[in-house]
Amino acid sequence: MEPVHTETEGPARQRRAGPLLRLLVILSLLLSGLYTSNALTRHRHFSPDSMNYVDVARNIRAGHGMSQSTLGFFQPLRLAPGPKSPLTAQSPGYPILISLAARTGLSEESAALLLSALGTLAALFGAVWLAHQVFGSASAWLTMVLLLLHAPLMHLGRHAWSDGPGLALALASFLALRPALRPGLLRWAVLAGLLAGLAFAFRFALAPVAAVGALALACSGLRATRLPRVVAFLLGCAAPVLAVVARNHAVRGTAASISLAPDPLRELNNILTQATGRWLWWFPSGVETALLCVLFLVLLVLLWRRRRLRDTARHLVAWPHAVLVLRAARYLVTLAASRVQPTPRLVAPITVTLALVAAYLWTRALALQPGRARWIAVVVLVGVVAW
């Protein structure tokens, strides 16, 4: 995926940016350490889903296979011996990873919290790197700013949830698509497919990642190489997906425990409300939605005054950059059709994708140079670390 219409800086400015980049790296490492430490010591949040993950990981280590002792608790309590039930309602990847991490001496609870925090950080920096690859460095730094201020994303890593690792795998799959478009590099298509399949194995809701990735490869690059790339992608994706689907079908007779919503249009409205009205958590949902609408109108006016509106829109819908917009739309439709109450946690894959697009739009609207974007990132990072 080649960057589109980004602001650039000369060699002299790039050399002067060296100390600032080092400062950004130091601040990012400090943020990662504090974030992970707080998740393990100060927060330690567990939900019913979290307890189920921990319980399944314990059963795996005890030799009971991928089974659950109960449907979940709010705290990681030790459970009395009893009949086990096969895990099919949730993806198995996260409990398996917890059981492996617990072999290092960590408790299953701490391992779950650690993996969630690290996965969320990987998703954050993976999104920044994806923005750099697709839209350029200025958009990448602005993406970091938006995601650091995105309360639901940072909230994920404070809970023992599979969302952070799953989202990180999904973003890694999209990062692997760029080298997969080069002739003769089918191994990257296999890797992209494998990562998309693993994202499904961590979060059933991330199934659209595989469909969008295959479609992106089918519509990009030389026509003669499209079919081999798509086949390689699907082969890589098939291993983890078929393993999960075959096991679920064998033990329960269903591929995945996903039911359809009675009113998808109503659910779609709820999802859009969560995506647009729960960004900062500083204001009531309706106030945030109104502020975002105003900012969007200002954005359109700025793009129109700079005569960049049509050009920017054309590049956003061009392949392969449209894969980001398509990914958000495909996930939105899937979530709307499922019988799952939309929450900021479940809408995070949409809002993270929207952050990349929003960063690119504001970079174009403000003609933001990479140097200024780096300074904005430094100020926000210092504020987040201090807070």
Side-chain angles (χ1 to χ4, degrees):
M1 289 182 272
E2 300 300 329
V4 298
H5 280 287
T6 55
E7 308 298 333
T8 58
E9 53 186 351
R13 285 189 178 183
Q14 290 178 355
R15 287 193 296 271
R16 290 197 297 270
L20 187 59
L21 287 173
R22 286 192 287 272
L23 177 60
L24 277 167
V25 171
I26 293 172
L27 287 172
S28 299
L29 291 174
L30 182 59
L31 171 68
S32 301
L34 289 173
Y35 185 77
T36 305
S37 175
N38 286 337
L40 285 170
T41 57
R42 291 179 56 192
H43 302 298
R44 295 189 69 84
H45 293 315
F46 287 84
S47 70
D49 283 350
S50 306
M51 186 55 244
N52 220 34
Y53 294 135
V54 171
D55 176 44
V56 173
R58 289 199 187 111
N59 286 333
I60 292 174
R61 294 198 67 197
H64 300 304
M66 210 171 306
S67 59
Q68 53 195 0
S69 307
T70 181
L71 295 180
F73 287 125
F74 280 99
Q75 293 296 329
L77 304 174
R78 293 288 174 180
L79 304 176
K84 311 297 181 183
S85 175
L87 175 72
T88 56
Q90 295 166 308
S91 299
Y94 188 48
I96 292 174
L97 196 59
I98 293 172
S99 67
L100 293 175
R103 294 179 181 273
T104 63
L106 288 172
S107 66
E108 287 84 359
E109 300 96 313
S110 295
L113 291 165
L114 177 64
L115 292 171
S116 179
L118 293 178
T120 302
L121 289 169
L124 168 66
F125 294 116
V128 173
W129 184 245
L130 182 60
H132 175 76
Q133 295 293 314
V134 178
F135 298 126
S137 59
S139 296
W141 295 122
L142 202 55
T143 297
M144 174 179 280
V145 169
L146 292 177
L147 292 181
L148 285 173
L149 296 176
H150 183 33
L153 175 65
M154 306 310 291
H155 182 68
L156 292 182
R158 301 189 183 107
H159 287 74
W161 287 337
S162 62
D163 302 68
L167 187 55
L169 288 167
L171 291 168
S173 175
F174 286 121
L175 281 169
L177 288 178
R178 186 188 184 195
L181 293 174
R182 299 172 186 169
L185 294 180
L186 291 180
R187 62 182 179 274
W188 283 100
V190 175
L191 177 61
L194 178 62
L195 290 169
L198 288 174
F200 171 81
F202 272 76
R203 290 286 295 165
F204 286 147
L206 292 174
V209 172
V212 173
L215 186 59
L217 291 175
C219 298
S220 307
L222 299 175
R223 290 188 177 182
T225 61
R226 289 178 182 178
L227 181 59
R229 285 200 308 265
V230 172
V231 171
F233 179 90
L234 293 176
L235 287 175
C237 184
V241 171
L242 290 180
V244 173
V245 170
R247 177 192 171 274
N248 285 1
H249 191 273
V251 298
R252 284 286 175 87
T254 58
S257 299
I258 300 175
S259 56
L260 297 181
D263 189 354
L265 291 180
R266 181 179 178 182
E267 294 303 318
L268 182 62
N269 177 66
N270 292 337
I271 294 167
L272 292 176
T273 300
Q274 293 285 356
T276 60
R278 304 302 296 163
W279 190 274
L280 300 174
W281 289 359
W282 296 347
F283 309 101
S285 177
V287 175
E288 281 199 19
T289 301
L291 288 175
L292 288 176
C293 289
V294 171
L295 287 174
F296 183 69
L297 290 175
V298 172
L299 174 67
L300 292 179
V301 171
L302 289 174
L303 287 172
W304 176 74
R305 290 194 63 182
R306 292 182 180 275
R307 298 181 179 180
R308 292 182 170 186
L309 183 59
R310 182 179 300 178
D311 186 53
T312 301
R314 186 171 64 249
H315 281 284
L316 274 181
V317 298
W319 291 101
H321 309 104
V323 67
L324 294 174
V325 180
L326 182 60
R327 172 186 180 272
R330 182 68 180 85
Y331 181 85
L332 188 150
V333 172
T334 302
L335 194 58
S338 65
R339 192 189 294 269
V340 179
Q341 180 65 32
T343 63
R345 169 194 174 190
L346 295 178
V347 179
I350 299 175
T351 51
V352 169
T353 304
L354 291 178
L356 273 73
V357 176
Y360 169 65
L361 293 176
W362 279 105
T363 301
R364 295 280 291 159
L366 300 175
L368 192 63
Q369 298 291 333
R372 291 184 178 180
R374 280 192 290 267
W375 274 112
I376 295 173
V378 166
V379 171
V380 172
L381 263 173
V382 169
V384 172
V385 169
W387 181 75

